[in-house]
Amino acid sequence: MEDHLFSISFESDNISYKGWINPSDKLNEAGTPVSFHVLLNEVSFGYLSFKNCQWTINEERPGKLVKLIGREIEKHYQL
């Protein structure tokens, strides 16, 4: 499972963020994972998923960061 991990890094509001994404093994109709466990700046950020045309998370997190992480996932999968 660890071979699916990929790194992310981005900046928002003059703060640098680094972390990794661990995609689920379960895939949707398009063949991409249905959810992604995110570790950001060495802290578990939560599980992101794409529902109803938007990125959602199972934790209380800033919407701006959720969108930015979603974009990193989209870049990785070239969506």
Side-chain angles (χ1 to χ4, degrees), residues 47-58:
Y47 287 86
L48 258 74
S49 57
F50 194 72
K51 294 180 183 172
N52 300 323
C53 298
Q54 68 180 7
W55 287 101
T56 60
I57 192 157
N58 70 330

Side-chain angles (χ1 to χ4, degrees), residues 11-62:
E11 193 171 300
S12 177
D13 298 326
N14 295 318
I15 299 172
S16 293
Y17 293 94
K18 293 182 181 183
W20 54 256
I21 307 282
N22 186 7
S24 71
D25 290 331
K26 186 176 178 184
L27 305 178
N28 61 22
E29 314 80 47
T32 56
V34 296
S35 67
F36 304 85
H37 179 236
V38 179
L39 183 82
L40 195 61
N41 288 356
E42 300 184 24
V43 175
S44 178
F45 191 76
Y47 287 86
L48 258 74
S49 57
F50 194 72
K51 294 180 183 172
N52 300 323
C53 298
Q54 68 180 7
W55 287 101
T56 60
I57 192 157
N58 70 330
E59 300 283 342
E60 189 70 31
R61 301 290 186 219

